[in-house]
Amino acid sequence: MSLADPIDEPLPEPFAGWFAARGWTPRLHQRALLDKARAGRSALLIAPTGAGKTLAGFLPSLIDLAAAPKRAPGAARAAGQAGLHTLYVSPLKALAVDVARNLETPVAEMGLDIRVETRTGDTPSAKRQRQRRDPPQMLMTTPEQIALLIASREAPRLFADLNTVILDELHALVTSKRGDLLVLGLARLRSFAPDLRIVGLSATVADPQALARWPVSQAPGAVNAADLVIAESGVKPDVGILTPTERVPWSGHSARYALQPIYEAIRAHETTLVFVNTRSQAEMLFQALWHINEEALPIALHHGSLDVGQRRKVEAAMVAGSLKAVVCTSTLDLGIDWGDIDLVINVGAPKGASRLAQRIGRANHRLDEPSKALLVPANRFEVMECEAAIEALGESAQDSPPPRTGALDVLAQHVLGSACAEPFDADALFAEVTSTAAYADLSRRDFDRVVDFVATGGYALRTYERHARIRPTPEGRWRVSNPQVAQQYRLNVGTIVEAPMLKVRLVRPGRRKALSGGRMLGEIEEWFIEQMTPGDTFVFAGQVLRLEGLQETEVYVSRAVSEDAKVPSFQGGKFPLSTYLADRVRTILADERQWRHLPGEVGEWLGVQKVRSVLPRRDQLLVETFPRGARFYLVCYPFEGRLAHQTLGMLLTRRLDRMRARPVGFVASEYSLAIWGLGDLSAMIRLNRLSLAELFDEDMLGDDLEAWLAESSLMKRTFRTCAIISGLIERRHPGKEKTGRQMTVSSDLIYDVLRSHEPDHVLLQATRADAASGLLDIARVGGLLKRTRGRIIHKALDRVSPLAVPVLLDIGKEPVHGEADDTLLAEAADELIAEAMRAG
């Protein structure tokens, strides 16, 4: 929609007076959404941070509700009186809470008789039950809560008056299985409220047309896309790269070299958000900042494994303006309005232009003022990635992933939820499911296989009664087998499958014989604690803790002071390098004119590489081979991200083994891949015993990939996730919860049975799809092999090249919480660096 279109209808009171009292006038995109609401049209608003997206989404609902007849709480609803009018769906619980708090202000100031409430996993059960009986007019919630609500018998009554669903940060919802669950929920909501309007809100979108189709019905005869409303751009952000006072490290992710400049930047600004890419990085950086915090600046920590009470305290302190900085992960990426943040620091490379734009938007939150951000690269390759990201921001380029195809394990969960609400007709449910954009191409055969899986477990499992979760009725519909199935569904709904977690409780030292009680600090991954013995120390919740003991699913710790503390290696929270930024980094590497923006030692590094070896063109793949010690190395530089490189490494080592190159191992980084072995690879290539064209041929994604997957534990781990989401394996039972070890043993046994007796089982199909698009990044590997066909440049060297130093530093590195500790690397690096940079 053009924002130049006239929208002249004035705001009604008290809204016009509320805007005028603040010296505001509704922006054009806010008026445009009002116009869409009056016409009953769904809409997708794309607007920069600080443009008032959230208010634009809610304003039509507030005006509509202000004009509706009122009823007393708990009273029967009369004709025309609003029940649940507007659902707001957020990808983050913290965002839902924040939006509710911000919405209550204008509601109170205008004296509107409108109840605004939140409903998340943290909402007390008594309140959730009351909301089903007596819903507020506006409910802020998450995809999981919608799945729970539509699986209840009260759903048709609860949602009968639903007018609008607002989907905030829509781009973040459509790329995960949570989005699959949500889009199926939206289809069900449309069956309860056929005139339902969907309003999507987003700031960073690479393909607006595709996103506009996602939330609305794709059924024949329906309007298959929401109307696009694109707001005017705001002021360009002020983004810079930290000017280092020390030399930028060759490798690692800790950015310890920049601790003092980061601290000085925090001190010089009012309020700073310090973003990192993993939870373990957040713990490490928070602890390091407090070690140099001589002025005792109020610096806090926020990530998803902390106890919800602690996270809410940090959020409240930010709103109150009592914190100087917060070290955080993606839990604060999205549109939470902290108001007075004047600096965002991103430690480590951003991995994506859209993600960086989202994080930078946390600063100022005002359209007419530039957001200010500082990027802190942790190593030399990241310097180039940060430069590439800043260029992308200057061009307003976006690289957010496209909406995904719906997963079959999520569909299985939805099928069971549908039966929990009431017996369903398979034909009607198929029509409803395929009306969604995510499942529009689902075949009837695959749908029926999913229903059969929920009903029997599949051919190989149908003799086990516990897998029969739904049964046919005499009328040909499907119902739950017994009430316990519905109870189990409600306990296990959702698609977020973290590594098995243990609760961390703080107790007094020396209580190892009588461990109980203690204040809850949060949750930590089970496998990390299993490596420790009582007395070991680690960093968690911003404190150094001593392990006192473990009982069932609870870890008991006491406060300790230790310089040797381990750091949790959280498995979640790592981002792949986007294809878009990878291409820009390759461009910088190939174009010497762009090096003038780089720190001197980084430019020198690339210059020596150009002399000693080769700097590939953007469309080329450089492969270097050289001896070092008793080993021979092959290093290549695809710049396709760690996941794709790990897959490539596994496939290449299999091929090299067949070629009798005797590979020993490999290591992958975001930018390069190193393989080492006992065979002289340079000689093999020179004597035509090894062809790089054949080695990197696309056919490796056929039999080689299948053979590797058959042997790999990766497929079992992926299957476990699919089995949990589909409900085949339950995480929680009434009054107890399975341990990670119990779930792993159960899923491994089932996986082996299915592979042997039913290799085309629907869950194995879902597992292969997940592995290809997620952990293996097959599409990126395939794109790389296709892009570089006929463009492989080989350089045989007598020693390590400068470009190879970072990835070689990762070989044999002590796996301290999965991050590089630059102080541990220093001594080992000196000899390698001197060898690479030596002239002649």
Side-chain angles (χ1 to χ4, degrees):
M1 173 181 182
S2 168
L3 294 184
D5 293 346
I7 308 171
D8 296 327
E9 188 170 336
L11 289 178
E13 292 295 345
F15 298 92
W18 185 79
F19 270 85
R22 279 152 188 75
W24 297 350
T25 56
R27 293 188 169 121
L28 289 176
H29 58 272
Q30 293 171 333
R31 286 189 170 276
L33 284 198
L34 275 171
D35 192 53
K36 297 298 180 187
R38 294 184 187 112
R41 306 277 296 183
S42 293
L44 169 61
L45 170 61
I46 299 174
T49 298
K53 286 192 302 295
T54 307
L55 181 58
F58 280 107
L59 192 57
S61 293
L62 290 172
I63 291 174
D64 196 23
L65 284 166
K70 306 299 183 290
R71 68 185 178 97
R77 190 164 65 247
Q81 290 180 330
L84 178 56
H85 180 282
T86 298
L87 268 179
Y88 165 90
V89 184
S90 158
L92 295 177
K93 291 185 285 188
L95 182 54
V97 172
D98 180 68
V99 167
R101 181 177 58 241
N102 291 338
L103 192 59
E104 286 166 355
T105 299
V107 166
E109 290 176 347
M110 285 185 276
L112 303 177
D113 185 14
I114 297 173
R115 281 166 54 207
V116 178
E117 295 182 3
T118 60
R119 183 188 178 95
T120 72
D122 298 331
T123 304
S125 59
K127 184 176 181 180
R128 292 203 301 267
Q129 291 173 8
R130 193 266 300 154
Q131 286 171 340
R132 286 163 63 174
R133 296 191 309 272
D134 180 26
Q137 290 101 324
M138 306 183 92
L139 185 63
M140 319 289 127
T141 191
T142 60
E144 293 76 16
Q145 291 300 315
I146 289 181
L148 281 169
L149 289 170
I150 63 174
S152 68
R153 296 182 185 277
E154 301 93 342
R157 175 192 60 79
L158 179 64
F159 294 112
D161 295 324
L162 188 63
N163 177 280
T164 302
V165 176
I166 300 171
L167 306 175
D168 206 353
E169 308 292 356
L170 181 58
H171 64 281
L173 287 165
V174 302
T175 58
S176 70
K177 289 188 178 184
R178 295 183 78 207
D180 300 348
L181 191 66
L182 174 61
V183 80
L184 292 168
L186 293 176
R188 178 57 49 87
L189 291 176
R190 281 193 290 269
S191 73
F192 302 140
D195 295 328
L196 181 66
R197 282 192 332 111
I198 309 291
V199 178
L201 308 176
S202 189
T204 52
V205 182
D207 185 353
Q209 298 293 340
L211 194 62
R213 290 191 293 274
W214 188 88
V216 299
S217 174
Q218 302 300 301
V223 178
N224 297 142
D227 292 347
L228 268 177
V229 177
I230 301 178
E232 296 174 341
S233 299
V235 178
K236 294 285 185 184
D238 174 12
V239 187
I241 298 177
L242 177 77
T243 302
T245 56
E246 299 183 26
R247 293 179 70 83
V248 179
W250 290 72
S251 182
H253 299 277
S254 69
R256 289 181 186 272
Y257 79 99
L259 276 176
Q260 195 62 44
I262 291 171
Y263 182 75
E264 293 301 326
I266 291 171
R267 194 165 62 84
H269 290 80
E270 290 298 319
T271 310
T272 302
L273 282 182
V274 184
F275 281 106
V276 295
N277 288 336
T278 69
R279 287 171 278 178
S280 53
Q281 274 182 305
E283 291 280 358
M284 183 279 298
L285 183 60
F286 175 77
Q287 194 75 11
L289 285 172
W290 269 98
H291 280 156
I292 63 171
N293 189 8
E294 296 178 354
E295 299 181 35
L297 301 178
I299 301 173
L301 176 67
H302 193 289
H303 63 68
S305 288
L306 296 178
D307 178 61
V308 63
Q310 183 170 341
R311 296 201 305 270
R312 295 294 176 263
K313 285 180 182 177
V314 172
E315 293 157 15
M318 284 292 287
V319 171
S322 57
L323 292 177
K324 194 71 173 170
V326 177
V327 178
C328 57
T329 60
S330 55
T331 52
L332 298 186
D333 262 8
L334 302 177
I336 298 174
D337 186 2
W338 302 122
D340 294 326
I341 293 167
D342 56 346
L343 178 66
V344 165
I345 298 176
N346 197 92
V347 178
K351 304 304 171 194
S354 294
R355 179 176 296 110
L356 179 60
Q358 194 79 44
R359 288 181 168 181
I360 290 172
R362 299 308 103 222
N364 281 331
H365 250 242
R366 287 180 283 274
L367 190 62
D368 53 355
E369 296 180 21
S371 298
K372 186 177 180 182
L374 182 66
L375 307 187
V376 183
N379 59 60
R380 297 187 175 199
F381 273 122
E382 286 194 353
V383 171
M384 291 187 285
E385 188 181 333
C386 288
E387 286 286 353
I390 289 178
E391 288 177 12
L393 284 175
E395 298 169 10
S396 299
Q398 300 291 344
D399 56 4
S400 54
R404 47 177 273 131
T405 299
L408 296 181
D409 51 341
V410 181
L411 178 58
Q413 185 179 124
H414 179 71
V415 166
L416 181 57
S418 299
C420 291
E422 61 180 2
F424 68 83
D425 174 75
D427 292 339
L429 184 59
F430 176 70
E432 181 181 292
V433 167
T434 53
S435 73
T436 68
Y439 291 92
D441 296 328
L442 178 73
S443 69
R444 181 59 192 250
R445 175 179 177 273
D446 280 346
F447 174 80
D448 288 340
R449 290 172 65 219
V450 170
V451 172
D452 179 68
F453 160 69
V454 179
T456 67
Y459 170 78
L461 301 175
R462 65 178 62 242
T463 56
Y464 298 94
E465 183 67 20
R466 67 177 178 275
H467 297 310
R469 292 173 288 163
I470 59 175
R471 299 184 186 280
T473 68
E475 298 78 24
R477 302 172 79 86
W478 290 95
R479 62 169 179 84
V480 290
S481 298
N482 55 67
Q484 286 72 36
V485 171
Q487 185 180 22
Q488 289 291 104
Y489 170 82
R490 295 185 181 101
L491 285 173
N492 291 278
V493 73
T495 64
I496 300 174
V497 181
E498 295 275 13
M501 306 294 278
L502 301 173
K503 293 179 173 62
V504 181
R505 292 192 177 276
L506 183 66
V507 297
R508 292 193 302 275
R511 288 187 55 188
R512 295 180 191 172
K513 292 184 178 178
L515 293 172
S516 64
R519 180 164 66 88
M520 194 48 174
L521 296 180
E523 295 184 320
I524 197 166
E525 289 167 350
E526 181 181 61
W527 72 266
F528 177 76
I529 294 298
E530 285 178 343
Q531 301 176 71
M532 304 177 69
T533 57
D536 284 350
T537 59
F538 61 101
V539 176
F540 184 74
Q543 306 172 64
V544 180
L545 304 172
R546 177 186 291 108
L547 178 63
E548 296 289 342
L550 171 65
Q551 286 191 0
E552 295 184 351
T553 60
E554 299 196 328
V555 180
Y556 293 90
V557 299
S558 60
R559 287 195 178 93
V561 178
S562 172
E563 294 297 323
D564 255 351
K566 295 182 179 180
V567 178
S569 179
F570 298 105
Q571 291 183 336
K574 293 184 179 178
F575 303 113
L577 176 66
S578 75
T579 303
Y580 181 80
L581 279 193
D583 186 63
R584 282 181 172 264
V585 172
R586 287 194 297 268
T587 300
I588 292 173
L589 191 69
D591 185 359
E592 194 169 346
R593 294 169 299 177
Q594 298 192 43
W595 300 356
R596 65 181 183 273
H597 301 298
L598 306 176
E601 68 267 25
V602 177
E604 177 193 6
W605 170 54
L606 297 180
V608 176
Q609 170 70 21
K610 183 178 179 181
V611 172
R612 287 264 296 105
S613 179
V614 173
L615 285 172
R617 295 198 313 264
R618 198 188 96 205
D619 60 347
Q620 293 176 331
L621 175 65
L622 171 62
V623 177
E624 297 175 329
T625 54
F626 52 84
R628 191 166 195 272
R631 293 175 174 178
F632 296 89
Y633 291 83
L634 180 152
V635 181
C636 59
Y637 307 89
F639 294 89
E640 292 293 350
R642 188 181 303 271
L643 294 178
H645 294 170
Q646 286 174 338
T647 298
L648 183 63
M650 288 300 305
L651 297 175
L652 289 178
T653 51
R654 291 181 69 89
R655 291 196 152 190
L656 287 169
D657 189 53
R658 285 205 306 272
M659 296 173 178
R660 301 192 176 180
R662 294 180 292 167
V664 174
F666 75 90
V667 65
S669 73
E670 290 286 340
Y671 314 101
S672 54
L673 167 68
I675 300 173
W676 63 93
L678 304 178
D680 186 340
L681 296 169
S682 296
M684 291 180 69
I685 295 170
R686 186 177 66 253
L687 297 172
N688 294 320
R689 289 168 49 203
L690 173 60
S691 164
L692 289 179
E694 292 178 6
L695 182 65
F696 284 88
D697 194 275
E698 290 175 78
D699 64 6
M700 75 167 68
L701 297 180
D703 292 343
D704 280 326
L705 178 62
E706 287 300 318
W708 170 45
L709 291 180
E711 302 167 2
S712 171
S713 62
L714 178 146
M715 288 294 281
K716 285 189 175 182
R717 295 202 308 271
T718 308
F719 177 82
R720 173 180 165 274
T721 298
C722 292
I724 290 171
I725 290 172
S726 70
L728 184 68
I729 295 173
E730 289 126 345
R731 290 168 283 190
R732 303 176 190 92
H733 294 263
K736 60 180 180 179
E737 186 163 338
K738 277 189 178 180
T739 66
R741 190 181 303 280
Q742 287 172 323
M743 286 189 292
T744 299
V745 169
S746 299
S747 66
D748 285 357
L749 288 172
I750 294 173
Y751 176 80
D752 290 337
V753 168
L754 295 183
R755 273 201 63 225
S756 299
H757 301 288
E758 194 177 357
D760 62 343
H761 190 278
V762 68
L763 272 198
L764 292 182
Q765 180 181 337
T767 299
R768 285 189 286 268
D770 272 12
S773 63
L775 294 171
L776 299 178
D777 219 348
I778 295 297
R780 291 283 290 270
V781 177
L784 158 70
L785 299 176
K786 185 175 183 179
R787 171 174 60 82
T788 58
R789 188 192 310 139
R791 299 184 180 91
I792 298 175
I793 306 298
H794 174 238
K795 188 70 174 178
L797 302 171
D798 61 355
R799 63 181 186 269
V800 61
S801 74
L803 213 59
V805 169
V807 72
L808 259 65
L809 287 174
D810 287 344
I811 296 174
K813 185 176 66 185
E814 178 69 19
V816 180
H817 64 274
E819 316 295 339
D821 184 329
D822 297 326
T823 58
L824 293 178
L825 283 170
E827 290 185 13
D830 286 345
E831 181 184 348
L832 185 65
I833 293 168
E835 179 184 333
M837 300 296 282
R838 188 175 72 243

